[in-house]
Amino acid sequence: MDQRQRRQLHDAMVRLALGDREAFTLVFEDLWPPLLAFMNRALPGHPDREDLAQRTLLNVFARIAEFDVSRDGVAWVFGIASYEVKTLRRQMQRRRETPATGLDSDDRADDAAGSP
């Protein structure tokens, strides 16, 4: 995602946060590909990657009114995505599931968040 695309996405998120429901489609279409790519990098081979990306988008849209329009929208979204990945890993650990991906550190999600 280049700077121009990032700015356009941020502007659409600001519009959505301010109540412009027409911006919903723009935000969804611009966020879905990089969010899915993030999940693929953070959880390679995990069967719930797409579900986690969807859950992240649901959280973004449910919490859009909380979005601070003076801050970077993309960073906010990927912060939510990173939290979702960490939550899934904690759940797997509690259930004593072995990650299908061989990932055993929450740091991997943070590394993947660096390049949405």
Side-chain angles (χ1 to χ4, degrees), residues 36 39-40 43-53 88 92 97-101:
L36 192 54
M39 292 301 175
N40 286 331
L43 301 164
H46 195 284
D48 294 331
R49 313 185 289 273
E50 192 167 319
D51 291 342
L52 212 54
L88 175 68
M92 290 171 57
E97 294 177 8
T98 305
T101 64

Side-chain angles (χ1 to χ4, degrees), residues 70-83:
S70 68
R71 305 201 59 189
D72 182 20
V74 175
W76 182 69
V77 168
F78 283 93
I80 294 170
S82 181
Y83 177 82

Side-chain angles (χ1 to χ4, degrees), residues 7-92:
R7 184 68 193 160
Q8 285 178 334
L9 176 55
H10 176 79
D11 292 345
M13 288 179 65
V14 169
R15 287 179 37 214
L16 189 59
L18 296 175
D20 181 357
R21 297 301 173 218
E22 291 180 15
F24 175 87
T25 302
L26 293 171
V27 172
F28 175 80
E29 289 175 351
D30 288 350
L31 274 180
W32 182 248
L35 191 56
L36 192 54
F38 170 82
M39 292 301 175
N40 286 331
R41 285 190 310 270
L43 301 164
H46 195 284
D48 294 331
R49 313 185 289 273
E50 192 167 319
D51 291 342
L52 212 54
Q54 290 174 3
R55 187 177 322 149
T56 299
L57 281 178
L58 287 173
N59 283 332
V60 166
F61 293 129
R63 296 175 52 194
I64 195 70
E66 300 170 22
F67 171 56
D68 180 352
V69 299
S70 68
R71 305 201 59 189
D72 182 20
V74 175
W76 182 69
V77 168
F78 283 93
I80 294 170
S82 181
Y83 177 82
E84 291 293 336
V85 169
K86 288 178 182 182
T87 300
L88 175 68
R89 288 183 178 155
R90 276 188 237 119
Q91 290 170 348
M92 290 171 57

